[in-house]
Amino acid sequence: MKAHYHLPGLFEFYEFYKIFLPIYYNHPDWFYDWCDIGSIYGAPADCIWGGGRTGFGQSGIEKEVYTLCRDSGISARLTFSNSLIEKNHLDDKKCNELCRLFERNQKKIKNGIIIHSDLLLNYLKSEYPDFYFISSTTKCITDFSDLNKELERPEFCYVVPDFRLNKDFQNLSALPQNLKNKVEFLSNECCWVECGQRKQCYENVSLKSLGLECPEHKCAAPGNEKGYVFSKAMESPAFISLEDIQKTYMPMGFSNFKIEGRSLGSALLLEFILYYMTKPDAQLKVREEIYLDNTLDLF
């Protein structure tokens, strides 16, 4: 068994991956052999089907992104997790063009779509049957019986539960292996575990993606004014550490781990990759290949 990491920023961090992926493939000895890149996910900023975190992905580089993933042998996932899709949104030209592009040449590596709306799911299954589908964490599935029902849906190859189910080991361990294979844990979430507005936050993003007027969502989580802090995420009771993956989740039969971060900077993405995938004695080498040299000043 290998751990498969699903990394953020398909469009948001294209320039980063253009540099990093050759390093990853040319220096396999720098990275743990028990894990790999399962996919890279994201969406351009102007996709009305987008959800979760939007407004950051570059537009106009769709063909370049497709080519990079195809040539690297990595599954690309389009994040189409808008929860408020209506029938009149299904013929959106931009989103359909993206689907036509990323559905091509999927004989060896299939591309996927992260999705929330069943209306959109049924449309995509009919129009673009070569994709595989991932049930989005934006559904905020926090009840384990609901998660079990979602895992049993044949439409989905993977299901990303709410991060607050990450440590429900009694129920997780009881899942049959075929359903364990479909669970994809959101591993590095920084959101407050006591947050009661997560679903409203995602709906606010969906409204903005559709170009609709809506009040700005104000997060009430303690310390939110600092934004995402990796060290803070590590202190969360729902955080899944490198050691957790190796010593708990993989022995239990789980192998899929989603790393969030589309709305963050590429420096943090690099830290996630160094932490989860890179051998300690090679972390400096990766930094040196990407940006670090002996003339670099921090200030």
Side-chain angles (χ1 to χ4, degrees):
M1 178 182 289
K2 276 197 173 189
H4 307 297
Y5 289 116
H6 304 278
L7 302 179
L10 182 63
F11 295 87
E12 296 83 350
F13 299 126
Y14 166 71
E15 297 296 334
F16 172 86
Y17 285 118
K18 192 166 61 171
I19 296 171
F20 171 72
L21 290 177
I23 297 171
Y24 176 71
Y25 287 110
N26 292 332
H27 300 279
D29 55 309
W30 292 1
F31 302 92
Y32 297 121
D33 60 5
W34 51 263
C35 64
D36 61 19
I37 299 174
S39 73
I40 303 175
Y41 66 92
D46 53 355
C47 283
I48 67 169
W49 295 351
R53 298 287 181 264
T54 61
F56 301 95
Q58 295 183 64
S59 293
I61 59 168
E62 290 80 3
K63 291 182 180 178
E64 291 88 343
V65 169
Y66 166 77
T67 300
L68 178 64
C69 288
R70 182 198 63 194
D71 293 349
S72 301
I74 289 177
S75 176
R77 292 181 174 181
L78 300 173
T79 306
F80 287 161
S81 53
N82 194 308
S83 62
L84 303 177
I85 295 293
E86 297 182 356
K87 189 174 181 180
N88 61 294
H89 300 132
L90 297 180
D91 61 355
D92 180 77
K93 181 180 178 182
K94 170 77 174 184
C95 295
N96 280 282
E97 286 178 348
L98 264 177
C99 289
R100 283 191 288 272
L101 173 62
F102 280 84
E103 194 187 30
R104 291 161 43 189
N105 300 327
Q106 296 199 61
K107 293 179 180 178
K108 291 184 178 180
I109 301 293
K110 279 191 169 291
N111 294 327
I113 294 178
I114 302 170
I115 199 160
H116 183 127
S117 164
D118 280 349
L119 175 66
L120 181 58
L121 172 65
N122 291 331
Y123 171 77
L124 293 172
K125 282 172 57 185
S126 173
E127 297 295 320
Y128 307 103
D130 287 340
F131 285 108
Y132 67 90
F133 297 97
I134 306 95
S135 176
S136 174
T137 191
T138 60
K139 295 180 180 180
C140 297
I141 299 175
T142 56
D143 183 272
F144 204 89
S145 61
D146 293 334
L147 173 61
N148 200 77
K149 292 175 185 175
E150 194 77 359
L151 289 168
E152 289 177 342
R153 292 181 62 177
E155 307 98 305
F156 296 121
C157 290
Y158 303 96
V159 174
V160 186
D162 189 273
F163 71 108
R164 284 164 285 201
L165 290 181
N166 284 357
K167 301 297 176 75
D168 188 355
F169 295 127
Q170 182 175 352
N171 283 314
L172 288 169
S173 62
L175 288 172
Q177 188 59 52
N178 66 310
L179 297 188
K180 288 180 178 180
N181 294 339
K182 296 175 70 172
V183 179
E184 186 176 311
F185 294 99
L186 186 56
S187 303
N188 64 327
E189 176 59 62
C190 193
C191 185
W192 186 32
V193 293
E194 300 297 328
C195 179
Q197 299 181 316
R198 192 167 173 83
K199 192 167 186 178
Q200 294 95 311
C201 179
Y202 283 135
E203 288 177 351
N204 185 267
V205 174
S206 292
L207 286 168
K208 289 180 178 178
S209 294
L210 294 172
L212 301 175
E213 291 290 330
C214 60
E216 190 68 30
H217 177 77
K218 297 186 181 298
C219 180
N224 175 64
E225 66 279 359
K226 294 183 179 179
Y228 186 98
V229 180
F230 193 20
S231 59
K232 178 185 173 184
M234 289 179 169
E235 297 171 357
S236 169
F239 179 72
I240 298 178
S241 69
L242 179 69
E243 185 177 13
D244 291 335
I245 291 171
Q246 291 179 289
K247 296 185 177 180
T248 302
Y249 290 89
M250 291 180 71
M252 201 182 292
F254 295 101
S255 58
N256 288 284
F257 303 91
K258 181 174 183 176
I259 308 301
E260 79 158 18
R262 285 197 294 150
S263 61
L264 306 175
S266 58
L268 257 180
L269 172 60
L270 176 58
E271 291 304 313
F272 298 151
I273 289 172
L274 293 173
Y275 174 78
Y276 280 109
M277 300 182 64
T278 312
K279 295 176 182 178
D281 60 358
Q283 291 180 4
L284 179 58
K285 295 177 182 178
V286 175
R287 288 190 179 97
E288 288 172 337
E289 287 288 323
I290 292 179
Y291 74 91
L292 192 59
D293 61 52
N294 61 8
T295 65
L296 178 68
D297 290 320
L298 292 178
F299 302 100

